[in-house]
Amino acid sequence: MLREETEEELSDGRKYTANDMVRIGTDDCRGCSDCCRMGPVIVLDPLDVFELNRFLGQSFEELLNETIELKVIDGLILPVLKLVAEDSPATASGQVPATQSTSAAAPATQFTPAAAPEDPEPMVCPYLGQDGRCTIHDFRPGICRMYPLGRSWENGDFHYILQVNECTHCSGTKIKVRKWLGIPNLDAYEDFCRSWHDLLERTRRLLGGTKPDGSLRRQVCIYLLQQFYLCDWKIDDFYTVFGGRRAEALRHLGFAI
Ligand code: SF4
Ligand code: SF4
């Protein structure tokens, strides 16, 4: 979610690239898991969902039945990790929930953003194991990989920032940002982040004058979900296929390529 705080309030004031060193060491977190409990909203991009599809063998619709939900994020309907009660079976077992039948999933045209929960009981990420460790560590979402780093956007590009008020156990050990992220082919990943951010920002501007609950906004949001999340991602070269789908979406939405 876009934040209201300024970069100066959030960060140590420095702008980091992948090749910079940052004082971020969390001493392997030691089962802290604070950021997986009632933490920031983890918005999932298409690559995050592709990785969950691939490693868990679950489709987007199956994930929607279990561990993710749709929320309105700055005017667009996007998937986020669905927090669950701390003592729910999914977290008590420390296991990734079993796959459910696709037939039970909601049709794409019936997507409804989740209402804000009224019950303030302790909530945690559905992928947090009972031992306080992430059960999908090797393919966790990009926001989780960065944390407590974040991205700050300016004119379609970004730099990394260290969110100084977030992680409770940073030891201050220096590490290169690239190593911290641990993402293969980081250049291609960062290009993907820019392309996805650009598409979302153009779409937000396109819908800027429309009603928050208007049918055009809803149609465009459903189109994005179908084009980038509900599609069959059973491929190896994610970035190339994503680029093709993005070019198609730019044409369909009337944007210059
Ligand atoms: S809050 Fe910091 S130390 Fe705790 S789990 Fe998150 S990154 Fe690790
Ligand atoms: S996916 Fe893993 S790292 Fe991310 S919030 Fe959930 S448990 Fe924590």
Side-chain angles (χ1 to χ4, degrees):
M1 186 168 355
L2 301 180
R3 292 177 182 261
E4 292 181 358
E5 297 99 314
T6 65
E7 186 173 321
E8 288 71 31
E9 290 169 330
L10 281 173
S11 77
D12 63 356
R14 289 195 56 193
K15 300 179 177 185
Y16 297 94
T17 71
N19 293 318
D20 288 327
M21 302 292 285
V22 58
R23 287 195 181 278
I24 202 176
T26 56
D27 203 13
D28 198 24
C29 297
R30 294 184 180 269
C32 150
S33 70
D34 283 359
C35 56
C36 310
R37 302 164 187 273
M38 301 284 281
V41 176
I42 310 290
V43 184
L44 303 172
D45 65 32
L47 178 60
D48 295 330
V49 171
F50 166 74
E51 297 282 48
L52 291 173
N53 291 162
R54 191 157 65 130
F55 287 101
L56 298 179
Q58 290 182 290
S59 68
F60 183 66
E61 287 172 314
E62 288 167 339
L63 292 167
L64 269 179
N65 277 338
E66 296 179 356
T67 52
I68 67 176
E69 63 185 341
L70 298 174
K71 276 192 185 289
V72 177
I73 306 292
D74 302 305
L76 298 180
I77 301 173
L78 294 169
V80 303
L81 287 184
K82 178 166 59 181
L83 296 179
V84 294
E86 185 150 15
D87 57 356
S88 76
T91 54
S93 66
Q95 299 297 315
V96 174
T99 303
Q100 290 183 355
S101 162
T102 310
S103 60
T109 51
Q110 292 180 15
F111 283 142
T112 305
E118 294 175 5
D119 188 349
E121 67 181 310
M123 305 290 274
V124 301
C125 172
Y127 293 118
L128 182 64
Q130 201 173 24
D131 60 357
R133 299 206 174 253
C134 177
T135 57
I136 58 166
H137 184 77
D138 289 348
F139 48 97
R140 64 199 185 284
I143 288 179
C144 302
R145 285 183 173 276
M146 276 194 297
Y147 193 88
L149 292 178
R151 289 188 205 107
S152 179
W153 291 91
E154 194 175 354
N155 300 324
D157 205 351
F158 71 89
H159 53 263
Y160 297 100
I161 58 170
L162 174 58
Q163 304 176 88
V164 289
N165 301 320
E166 298 283 327
C167 173
T168 51
H169 292 74
C170 268
S171 63
T173 310
K174 272 193 167 184
I175 186 170
K176 193 173 264 196
V177 170
R178 180 180 294 275
K179 187 174 180 188
W180 178 257
L181 298 174
I183 296 174
N185 200 353
L186 186 60
D187 291 345
Y189 174 72
E190 291 185 335
D191 282 345
F192 154 74
C193 292
R194 291 183 194 96
S195 299
W196 180 238
H197 178 83
D198 171 70
L199 178 60
L200 295 185
E201 287 306 295
R202 287 204 218 188
T203 306
R204 287 188 173 106
R205 286 198 293 274
L206 175 76
L207 298 174
T210 63
K211 292 181 187 170
D213 57 350
S215 64
L216 175 61
R217 183 176 291 271
R218 191 171 180 82
Q219 281 173 29
V220 170
C221 288
I222 288 172
Y223 170 76
L224 290 180
L225 290 170
Q226 289 175 327
Q227 183 77 352
F228 294 104
Y229 293 98
L230 266 164
C231 46
D232 181 3
W233 280 114
K234 289 189 181 121
I235 48 153
D236 288 327
D237 188 357
F238 171 85
Y239 296 123
T240 301
V241 175
F242 169 80
R245 287 187 180 163
R246 178 177 177 273
E248 193 176 61
L250 291 175
R251 280 197 304 277
H252 287 165
L253 295 172
F255 297 134
I257 297 181

